[in-house]
Amino acid sequence: MSNWETGTTVINNGEYCRAYARGNFHWGIEYEGNGLVVQDEYVDLRVSVTRNGDVWKN
């Protein structure tokens, strides 16, 4: 993984909250930062929740 970050944002004065995780996910053979990357994919996942407990994926 690289450039990975997570966090939360409060929307509309607390009407709902959004949690996010995003960054590059890759797999392959790597040693001390050098190697062969077979696949590199940018992942951006966002989930929101209201005060009532309603949850949805953005």
Side-chain angles (χ1 to χ4, degrees):
M1 291 187 286
S2 61
N3 302 323
W4 200 254
E5 65 177 307
T6 60
T8 58
T9 306
V10 177
I11 310 295
N12 290 341
N13 294 322
E15 182 178 326
Y16 65 96
C17 181
R18 179 177 296 141
Y20 62 87
R22 58 185 169 224
N24 289 22
F25 181 79
H26 60 270
W27 65 273
I29 300 170
E30 193 169 348
Y31 179 73
E32 293 183 358
N34 298 309
L36 174 66
V37 174
V38 177
Q39 182 178 11
D40 190 12
E41 182 176 352
Y42 181 75
V43 177
D44 186 0
L45 176 65
R46 300 176 194 192
V47 178
S48 296
V49 61
T50 66
R51 291 182 185 189
N52 297 330
D54 299 325
V55 179
W56 69 94
K57 181 180 173 186
N58 298 98

Short mmCIF file of all heavy atoms in Angstrom, two decimals:
data_model
loop_
_atom_site.label_atom_id
_atom_site.label_comp_id
_atom_site.label_asym_id
_atom_site.label_seq_id
_atom_site.Cartn_x
_atom_site.Cartn_y
_atom_site.Cartn_z
N MET A 1 0.84 -1.17 0.00
CA MET A 1 0.00 0.00 0.00
C MET A 1 0.89 1.24 0.00
O MET A 1 1.96 1.24 0.58
CB MET A 1 -0.88 0.01 1.24
CG MET A 1 -1.95 -1.04 1.24
SD MET A 1 -3.08 -0.87 2.62
CE MET A 1 -2.08 -1.44 3.96
N SER A 2 0.39 2.28 -0.65
CA SER A 2 1.10 3.54 -0.62
C SER A 2 0.09 4.68 -0.72
O SER A 2 -1.03 4.48 -1.19
CB SER A 2 2.10 3.62 -1.77
OG SER A 2 1.44 3.52 -3.01
N ASN A 3 0.49 5.84 -0.26
CA ASN A 3 -0.39 7.01 -0.24
C ASN A 3 -1.71 6.72 0.46
O ASN A 3 -2.75 7.25 0.08
CB ASN A 3 -0.66 7.51 -1.67
CG ASN A 3 0.60 7.86 -2.40
OD1 ASN A 3 1.54 8.38 -1.81
ND2 ASN A 3 0.65 7.56 -3.68
N TRP A 4 -1.69 5.89 1.47
CA TRP A 4 -2.91 5.47 2.15
C TRP A 4 -3.29 6.48 3.21
O TRP A 4 -2.46 6.93 3.99
CB TRP A 4 -2.69 4.09 2.79
CG TRP A 4 -3.96 3.38 3.08
CD1 TRP A 4 -4.53 3.20 4.30
CD2 TRP A 4 -4.84 2.74 2.15
NE1 TRP A 4 -5.70 2.50 4.19
CE2 TRP A 4 -5.91 2.20 2.88
CE3 TRP A 4 -4.83 2.58 0.77
CZ2 TRP A 4 -6.96 1.52 2.29
CZ3 TRP A 4 -5.87 1.89 0.17
CH2 TRP A 4 -6.91 1.36 0.93
N GLU A 5 -4.57 6.88 3.25
CA GLU A 5 -5.05 7.78 4.29
C GLU A 5 -6.46 7.41 4.70
O GLU A 5 -7.23 6.87 3.90
CB GLU A 5 -5.00 9.24 3.82
CG GLU A 5 -5.91 9.57 2.67
CD GLU A 5 -5.86 11.05 2.31
OE1 GLU A 5 -6.05 11.90 3.20
OE2 GLU A 5 -5.65 11.33 1.14
N THR A 6 -6.79 7.67 5.94
CA THR A 6 -8.12 7.43 6.47
C THR A 6 -8.55 8.67 7.24
O THR A 6 -7.72 9.46 7.68
CB THR A 6 -8.14 6.21 7.42
OG1 THR A 6 -7.25 6.46 8.51
CG2 THR A 6 -7.77 4.94 6.71
N GLY A 7 -9.85 8.83 7.40
CA GLY A 7 -10.33 9.98 8.15
C GLY A 7 -11.84 10.04 8.18
O GLY A 7 -12.53 9.19 7.64
N THR A 8 -12.34 11.09 8.83
CA THR A 8 -13.78 11.32 8.93
C THR A 8 -14.08 12.78 8.64
O THR A 8 -13.23 13.65 8.82
CB THR A 8 -14.32 10.97 10.33
OG1 THR A 8 -13.63 11.76 11.30
CG2 THR A 8 -14.14 9.51 10.65
N THR A 9 -15.29 13.03 8.19
CA THR A 9 -15.76 14.38 7.92
C THR A 9 -17.18 14.51 8.45
O THR A 9 -18.01 13.63 8.21
CB THR A 9 -15.76 14.67 6.41
OG1 THR A 9 -14.47 14.40 5.89
CG2 THR A 9 -16.13 16.10 6.12
N VAL A 10 -17.48 15.58 9.18
CA VAL A 10 -18.84 15.85 9.66
C VAL A 10 -19.51 16.75 8.63
O VAL A 10 -18.96 17.78 8.23
CB VAL A 10 -18.81 16.52 11.04
CG1 VAL A 10 -20.21 16.87 11.49
CG2 VAL A 10 -18.12 15.62 12.05
N ILE A 11 -20.71 16.37 8.19
CA ILE A 11 -21.44 17.07 7.13
C ILE A 11 -22.69 17.75 7.70
O ILE A 11 -23.39 17.16 8.53
CB ILE A 11 -21.85 16.08 6.02
CG1 ILE A 11 -20.67 15.21 5.57
CG2 ILE A 11 -22.50 16.79 4.85
CD1 ILE A 11 -19.56 15.96 4.90
N ASN A 12 -22.98 18.95 7.22
CA ASN A 12 -24.19 19.71 7.59
C ASN A 12 -24.40 19.81 9.10
O ASN A 12 -25.45 19.46 9.62
CB ASN A 12 -25.44 19.10 6.93
CG ASN A 12 -25.46 19.31 5.44
OD1 ASN A 12 -24.76 20.17 4.92
ND2 ASN A 12 -26.24 18.51 4.73
N ASN A 13 -23.38 20.30 9.79
CA ASN A 13 -23.46 20.51 11.25
C ASN A 13 -23.87 19.25 12.01
O ASN A 13 -24.65 19.31 12.95
CB ASN A 13 -24.40 21.66 11.59
CG ASN A 13 -23.87 22.98 11.10
OD1 ASN A 13 -22.66 23.23 11.16
ND2 ASN A 13 -24.75 23.83 10.59
N GLY A 14 -23.39 18.11 11.60
CA GLY A 14 -23.64 16.86 12.31
C GLY A 14 -24.83 16.08 11.82
O GLY A 14 -25.23 15.09 12.44
N GLU A 15 -25.41 16.48 10.69
CA GLU A 15 -26.54 15.74 10.13
C GLU A 15 -26.12 14.30 9.83
O GLU A 15 -26.85 13.36 10.07
CB GLU A 15 -27.04 16.41 8.86
CG GLU A 15 -28.24 15.75 8.24
CD GLU A 15 -28.72 16.49 7.00
OE1 GLU A 15 -28.63 17.73 6.97
OE2 GLU A 15 -29.18 15.80 6.08
N TYR A 16 -24.91 14.15 9.29
CA TYR A 16 -24.32 12.83 9.11
C TYR A 16 -22.82 12.95 9.08
O TYR A 16 -22.26 14.05 8.98
CB TYR A 16 -24.87 12.11 7.86
CG TYR A 16 -24.55 12.74 6.53
CD1 TYR A 16 -23.46 12.30 5.79
CD2 TYR A 16 -25.34 13.75 6.00
CE1 TYR A 16 -23.17 12.85 4.57
CE2 TYR A 16 -25.06 14.31 4.78
CZ TYR A 16 -23.97 13.86 4.06
OH TYR A 16 -23.67 14.41 2.84
N CYS A 17 -22.15 11.81 9.18
CA CYS A 17 -20.70 11.75 9.21
C CYS A 17 -20.22 10.81 8.11
O CYS A 17 -20.88 9.81 7.83
CB CYS A 17 -20.24 11.25 10.57
SG CYS A 17 -18.45 11.18 10.75
N ARG A 18 -19.10 11.15 7.49
CA ARG A 18 -18.55 10.31 6.42
C ARG A 18 -17.15 9.83 6.85
O ARG A 18 -16.32 10.62 7.28
CB ARG A 18 -18.44 11.11 5.14
CG ARG A 18 -17.85 10.30 3.99
CD ARG A 18 -17.82 11.08 2.69
NE ARG A 18 -19.18 11.40 2.29
CZ ARG A 18 -19.54 12.56 1.75
NH1 ARG A 18 -18.66 13.51 1.55
NH2 ARG A 18 -20.78 12.77 1.41
N ALA A 19 -16.93 8.55 6.72
CA ALA A 19 -15.61 7.96 6.97
C ALA A 19 -15.04 7.53 5.63
O ALA A 19 -15.77 7.09 4.74
CB ALA A 19 -15.72 6.76 7.90
N TYR A 20 -13.72 7.69 5.46
CA TYR A 20 -13.12 7.33 4.19
C TYR A 20 -11.77 6.65 4.40
O TYR A 20 -11.10 6.85 5.40
CB TYR A 20 -12.95 8.55 3.28
CG TYR A 20 -12.03 9.61 3.83
CD1 TYR A 20 -10.67 9.56 3.61
CD2 TYR A 20 -12.53 10.66 4.59
CE1 TYR A 20 -9.82 10.53 4.12
CE2 TYR A 20 -11.70 11.64 5.11
CZ TYR A 20 -10.35 11.56 4.87
OH TYR A 20 -9.51 12.52 5.39
N ALA A 21 -11.43 5.84 3.42
CA ALA A 21 -10.11 5.20 3.33
C ALA A 21 -9.76 5.19 1.86
O ALA A 21 -10.56 4.79 1.02
CB ALA A 21 -10.14 3.78 3.89
N ARG A 22 -8.57 5.69 1.52
CA ARG A 22 -8.20 5.75 0.11
C ARG A 22 -6.68 5.68 -0.04
O ARG A 22 -5.94 6.05 0.87
CB ARG A 22 -8.74 7.01 -0.54
CG ARG A 22 -8.30 8.28 0.11
CD ARG A 22 -8.98 9.47 -0.53
NE ARG A 22 -8.76 10.66 0.26
CZ ARG A 22 -9.67 11.56 0.55
NH1 ARG A 22 -10.89 11.40 0.11
NH2 ARG A 22 -9.39 12.60 1.26
N GLY A 23 -6.27 5.19 -1.19
CA GLY A 23 -4.86 5.09 -1.50
C GLY A 23 -4.61 4.04 -2.55
O GLY A 23 -5.52 3.43 -3.09
N ASN A 24 -3.34 3.82 -2.84
CA ASN A 24 -2.95 2.83 -3.84
C ASN A 24 -2.68 1.49 -3.16
O ASN A 24 -1.99 1.43 -2.14
CB ASN A 24 -1.70 3.27 -4.58
CG ASN A 24 -1.96 4.43 -5.50
OD1 ASN A 24 -2.92 5.15 -5.33
ND2 ASN A 24 -1.10 4.62 -6.47
N PHE A 25 -3.23 0.46 -3.73
CA PHE A 25 -3.01 -0.90 -3.25
C PHE A 25 -2.35 -1.67 -4.38
O PHE A 25 -2.83 -1.66 -5.51
CB PHE A 25 -4.34 -1.55 -2.86
CG PHE A 25 -4.19 -2.94 -2.33
CD1 PHE A 25 -3.79 -3.15 -1.02
CD2 PHE A 25 -4.42 -4.02 -3.13
CE1 PHE A 25 -3.64 -4.43 -0.53
CE2 PHE A 25 -4.27 -5.31 -2.66
CZ PHE A 25 -3.88 -5.51 -1.35
N HIS A 26 -1.23 -2.28 -4.10
CA HIS A 26 -0.54 -3.03 -5.15
C HIS A 26 -0.01 -4.35 -4.59
O HIS A 26 0.15 -4.50 -3.40
CB HIS A 26 0.60 -2.22 -5.76
CG HIS A 26 1.66 -1.82 -4.78
ND1 HIS A 26 1.60 -0.64 -4.07
CD2 HIS A 26 2.80 -2.42 -4.39
CE1 HIS A 26 2.66 -0.55 -3.29
NE2 HIS A 26 3.40 -1.62 -3.46
N TRP A 27 0.20 -5.29 -5.50
CA TRP A 27 0.79 -6.55 -5.09
C TRP A 27 1.79 -7.00 -6.15
O TRP A 27 1.71 -6.64 -7.30
CB TRP A 27 -0.27 -7.61 -4.80
CG TRP A 27 -1.09 -8.05 -5.98
CD1 TRP A 27 -2.23 -7.47 -6.43
CD2 TRP A 27 -0.83 -9.15 -6.84
NE1 TRP A 27 -2.69 -8.13 -7.53
CE2 TRP A 27 -1.86 -9.18 -7.80
CE3 TRP A 27 0.16 -10.11 -6.90
CZ2 TRP A 27 -1.91 -10.14 -8.79
CZ3 TRP A 27 0.10 -11.07 -7.90
CH2 TRP A 27 -0.94 -11.08 -8.81
N GLY A 28 2.74 -7.74 -5.69
CA GLY A 28 3.82 -8.23 -6.54
C GLY A 28 4.97 -8.68 -5.66
O GLY A 28 4.77 -9.04 -4.50
N ILE A 29 6.17 -8.64 -6.17
CA ILE A 29 7.37 -9.02 -5.41
C ILE A 29 8.15 -7.75 -5.14
O ILE A 29 8.46 -6.99 -6.05
CB ILE A 29 8.22 -10.02 -6.22
CG1 ILE A 29 7.40 -11.28 -6.51
CG2 ILE A 29 9.49 -10.35 -5.48
CD1 ILE A 29 8.05 -12.21 -7.49
N GLU A 30 8.47 -7.54 -3.85
CA GLU A 30 9.15 -6.30 -3.49
C GLU A 30 10.11 -6.56 -2.33
O GLU A 30 9.80 -7.31 -1.41
CB GLU A 30 8.11 -5.26 -3.09
CG GLU A 30 8.64 -3.87 -2.99
CD GLU A 30 7.53 -2.85 -2.84
OE1 GLU A 30 6.35 -3.19 -3.04
OE2 GLU A 30 7.85 -1.71 -2.52
N TYR A 31 11.28 -5.95 -2.40
CA TYR A 31 12.26 -6.06 -1.33
C TYR A 31 12.93 -4.70 -1.15
O TYR A 31 13.52 -4.18 -2.11
CB TYR A 31 13.31 -7.14 -1.65
CG TYR A 31 14.37 -7.29 -0.59
CD1 TYR A 31 14.07 -7.87 0.63
CD2 TYR A 31 15.64 -6.81 -0.81
CE1 TYR A 31 15.03 -7.99 1.61
CE2 TYR A 31 16.62 -6.93 0.17
CZ TYR A 31 16.30 -7.52 1.38
OH TYR A 31 17.26 -7.62 2.36
N GLU A 32 12.82 -4.15 0.04
CA GLU A 32 13.39 -2.85 0.37
C GLU A 32 13.02 -1.77 -0.66
O GLU A 32 13.85 -0.98 -1.09
CB GLU A 32 14.90 -2.95 0.52
CG GLU A 32 15.33 -3.79 1.70
CD GLU A 32 16.84 -3.83 1.88
OE1 GLU A 32 17.57 -3.25 1.06
OE2 GLU A 32 17.28 -4.47 2.86
N GLY A 33 11.75 -1.75 -1.06
CA GLY A 33 11.26 -0.72 -1.97
C GLY A 33 11.50 -0.96 -3.44
O GLY A 33 11.06 -0.18 -4.28
N ASN A 34 12.19 -2.03 -3.81
CA ASN A 34 12.44 -2.35 -5.21
C ASN A 34 11.77 -3.67 -5.56
O ASN A 34 11.79 -4.60 -4.76
CB ASN A 34 13.95 -2.47 -5.49
CG ASN A 34 14.67 -1.17 -5.21
OD1 ASN A 34 14.27 -0.13 -5.69
ND2 ASN A 34 15.71 -1.24 -4.40
N GLY A 35 11.20 -3.74 -6.75
CA GLY A 35 10.59 -5.00 -7.12
C GLY A 35 9.73 -4.89 -8.35
O GLY A 35 9.80 -3.92 -9.11
N LEU A 36 8.88 -5.87 -8.54
CA LEU A 36 8.00 -5.98 -9.68
C LEU A 36 6.56 -5.89 -9.19
O LEU A 36 6.12 -6.73 -8.40
CB LEU A 36 8.22 -7.31 -10.41
CG LEU A 36 7.26 -7.63 -11.54
CD1 LEU A 36 7.45 -6.64 -12.68
CD2 LEU A 36 7.48 -9.04 -12.01
N VAL A 37 5.84 -4.87 -9.62
CA VAL A 37 4.44 -4.71 -9.25
C VAL A 37 3.59 -5.34 -10.34
O VAL A 37 3.69 -4.97 -11.51
CB VAL A 37 4.07 -3.22 -9.07
CG1 VAL A 37 2.59 -3.07 -8.82
CG2 VAL A 37 4.87 -2.62 -7.93
N VAL A 38 2.75 -6.30 -9.95
CA VAL A 38 1.90 -7.00 -10.91
C VAL A 38 0.62 -6.22 -11.15
O VAL A 38 0.14 -6.10 -12.27
CB VAL A 38 1.59 -8.43 -10.42
CG1 VAL A 38 0.65 -9.14 -11.36
CG2 VAL A 38 2.88 -9.21 -10.24
N GLN A 39 0.06 -5.65 -10.08
CA GLN A 39 -1.17 -4.88 -10.22
C GLN A 39 -1.12 -3.70 -9.26
O GLN A 39 -0.72 -3.84 -8.11
CB GLN A 39 -2.39 -5.75 -9.90
CG GLN A 39 -3.70 -5.01 -10.07
CD GLN A 39 -4.90 -5.91 -9.80
OE1 GLN A 39 -4.77 -7.00 -9.30
NE2 GLN A 39 -6.07 -5.42 -10.14
N ASP A 40 -1.53 -2.53 -9.73
CA ASP A 40 -1.60 -1.33 -8.93
C ASP A 40 -2.98 -0.73 -9.11
O ASP A 40 -3.39 -0.44 -10.24
CB ASP A 40 -0.51 -0.33 -9.35
CG ASP A 40 -0.37 0.83 -8.39
OD1 ASP A 40 -0.94 0.76 -7.28
OD2 ASP A 40 0.29 1.81 -8.74
N GLU A 41 -3.71 -0.56 -8.02
CA GLU A 41 -5.09 -0.08 -8.12
C GLU A 41 -5.33 0.99 -7.07
O GLU A 41 -4.92 0.87 -5.93
CB GLU A 41 -6.05 -1.26 -7.88
CG GLU A 41 -7.49 -0.90 -8.00
CD GLU A 41 -8.40 -2.11 -7.86
OE1 GLU A 41 -7.91 -3.24 -7.82
OE2 GLU A 41 -9.61 -1.89 -7.76
N TYR A 42 -6.01 2.07 -7.47
CA TYR A 42 -6.39 3.13 -6.54
C TYR A 42 -7.73 2.77 -5.92
O TYR A 42 -8.70 2.49 -6.64
CB TYR A 42 -6.48 4.48 -7.25
CG TYR A 42 -6.83 5.61 -6.31
CD1 TYR A 42 -5.89 6.11 -5.43
CD2 TYR A 42 -8.10 6.15 -6.30
CE1 TYR A 42 -6.20 7.14 -4.56
CE2 TYR A 42 -8.43 7.18 -5.44
CZ TYR A 42 -7.47 7.66 -4.57
OH TYR A 42 -7.79 8.68 -3.71
N VAL A 43 -7.81 2.73 -4.60
CA VAL A 43 -9.02 2.37 -3.88
C VAL A 43 -9.53 3.60 -3.14
O VAL A 43 -8.76 4.27 -2.45
CB VAL A 43 -8.74 1.22 -2.88
CG1 VAL A 43 -9.99 0.89 -2.09
CG2 VAL A 43 -8.22 0.00 -3.60
N ASP A 44 -10.82 3.91 -3.28
CA ASP A 44 -11.45 5.04 -2.59
C ASP A 44 -12.78 4.56 -2.03
O ASP A 44 -13.75 4.39 -2.78
CB ASP A 44 -11.65 6.19 -3.57
CG ASP A 44 -12.16 7.46 -2.89
OD1 ASP A 44 -12.36 7.45 -1.66
OD2 ASP A 44 -12.35 8.46 -3.61
N LEU A 45 -12.84 4.31 -0.73
CA LEU A 45 -14.03 3.80 -0.08
C LEU A 45 -14.58 4.87 0.85
O LEU A 45 -13.84 5.41 1.69
CB LEU A 45 -13.71 2.54 0.72
CG LEU A 45 -14.85 1.94 1.54
CD1 LEU A 45 -15.96 1.46 0.61
CD2 LEU A 45 -14.35 0.81 2.40
N ARG A 46 -15.86 5.20 0.70
CA ARG A 46 -16.52 6.20 1.56
C ARG A 46 -17.82 5.61 2.09
O ARG A 46 -18.61 5.05 1.33
CB ARG A 46 -16.82 7.46 0.76
CG ARG A 46 -15.60 8.10 0.20
CD ARG A 46 -15.95 9.26 -0.65
NE ARG A 46 -14.80 9.67 -1.45
CZ ARG A 46 -14.75 10.79 -2.11
NH1 ARG A 46 -15.74 11.62 -2.09
NH2 ARG A 46 -13.66 11.08 -2.80
N VAL A 47 -18.03 5.76 3.37
CA VAL A 47 -19.23 5.28 4.03
C VAL A 47 -19.78 6.42 4.88
O VAL A 47 -19.03 7.12 5.56
CB VAL A 47 -18.92 4.06 4.93
CG1 VAL A 47 -20.15 3.60 5.66
CG2 VAL A 47 -18.34 2.94 4.11
N SER A 48 -21.11 6.62 4.84
CA SER A 48 -21.75 7.66 5.63
C SER A 48 -22.71 7.04 6.62
O SER A 48 -23.27 5.97 6.38
CB SER A 48 -22.50 8.64 4.73
OG SER A 48 -21.60 9.32 3.90
N VAL A 49 -22.93 7.74 7.75
CA VAL A 49 -23.86 7.28 8.78
C VAL A 49 -24.59 8.49 9.37
O VAL A 49 -23.99 9.55 9.56
CB VAL A 49 -23.14 6.46 9.89
CG1 VAL A 49 -22.11 7.30 10.61
CG2 VAL A 49 -24.14 5.86 10.86
N THR A 50 -25.91 8.34 9.59
CA THR A 50 -26.70 9.40 10.20
C THR A 50 -26.77 9.19 11.70
O THR A 50 -26.35 8.15 12.22
CB THR A 50 -28.13 9.42 9.65
OG1 THR A 50 -28.79 8.22 10.05
CG2 THR A 50 -28.16 9.56 8.14
N ARG A 51 -27.33 10.17 12.39
CA ARG A 51 -27.52 10.05 13.85
C ARG A 51 -28.45 8.89 14.20
O ARG A 51 -28.37 8.32 15.28
CB ARG A 51 -28.10 11.34 14.41
CG ARG A 51 -27.15 12.48 14.38
CD ARG A 51 -27.77 13.70 14.99
NE ARG A 51 -26.87 14.84 14.85
CZ ARG A 51 -27.05 15.99 15.42
NH1 ARG A 51 -28.13 16.19 16.17
NH2 ARG A 51 -26.19 16.96 15.26
N ASN A 52 -29.36 8.55 13.28
CA ASN A 52 -30.31 7.45 13.51
C ASN A 52 -29.69 6.08 13.27
O ASN A 52 -30.33 5.06 13.48
CB ASN A 52 -31.54 7.61 12.61
CG ASN A 52 -32.30 8.86 12.93
OD1 ASN A 52 -32.31 9.34 14.06
ND2 ASN A 52 -32.95 9.42 11.94
N GLY A 53 -28.46 6.03 12.76
CA GLY A 53 -27.79 4.77 12.50
C GLY A 53 -27.93 4.25 11.09
O GLY A 53 -27.54 3.12 10.80
N ASP A 54 -28.52 5.04 10.19
CA ASP A 54 -28.60 4.64 8.78
C ASP A 54 -27.22 4.74 8.16
O ASP A 54 -26.55 5.76 8.29
CB ASP A 54 -29.56 5.55 8.01
CG ASP A 54 -30.98 5.48 8.54
OD1 ASP A 54 -31.39 4.39 8.97
OD2 ASP A 54 -31.66 6.53 8.53
N VAL A 55 -26.80 3.67 7.48
CA VAL A 55 -25.46 3.61 6.88
C VAL A 55 -25.59 3.37 5.40
O VAL A 55 -26.42 2.57 4.96
CB VAL A 55 -24.62 2.46 7.52
CG1 VAL A 55 -23.25 2.38 6.90
CG2 VAL A 55 -24.53 2.65 9.03
N TRP A 56 -24.77 4.05 4.59
CA TRP A 56 -24.75 3.81 3.16
C TRP A 56 -23.35 4.07 2.60
O TRP A 56 -22.59 4.85 3.15
CB TRP A 56 -25.80 4.64 2.43
CG TRP A 56 -25.56 6.11 2.39
CD1 TRP A 56 -24.93 6.80 1.38
CD2 TRP A 56 -25.90 7.08 3.35
NE1 TRP A 56 -24.88 8.14 1.67
CE2 TRP A 56 -25.48 8.34 2.89
CE3 TRP A 56 -26.54 7.03 4.59
CZ2 TRP A 56 -25.66 9.51 3.60
CZ3 TRP A 56 -26.72 8.20 5.31
CH2 TRP A 56 -26.28 9.41 4.81
N LYS A 57 -23.07 3.39 1.51
CA LYS A 57 -21.78 3.54 0.82
C LYS A 57 -21.92 4.67 -0.20
O LYS A 57 -22.89 4.71 -0.95
CB LYS A 57 -21.39 2.24 0.13
CG LYS A 57 -20.08 2.30 -0.59
CD LYS A 57 -19.77 0.97 -1.25
CE LYS A 57 -18.53 1.10 -2.11
NZ LYS A 57 -18.28 -0.11 -2.88
N ASN A 58 -20.97 5.58 -0.22
CA ASN A 58 -21.00 6.70 -1.17
C ASN A 58 -20.30 6.32 -2.44
O ASN A 58 -19.31 5.68 -2.47
CB ASN A 58 -20.32 7.93 -0.57
CG ASN A 58 -21.05 8.38 0.67
OD1 ASN A 58 -20.65 8.07 1.77
ND2 ASN A 58 -22.13 9.10 0.50
#
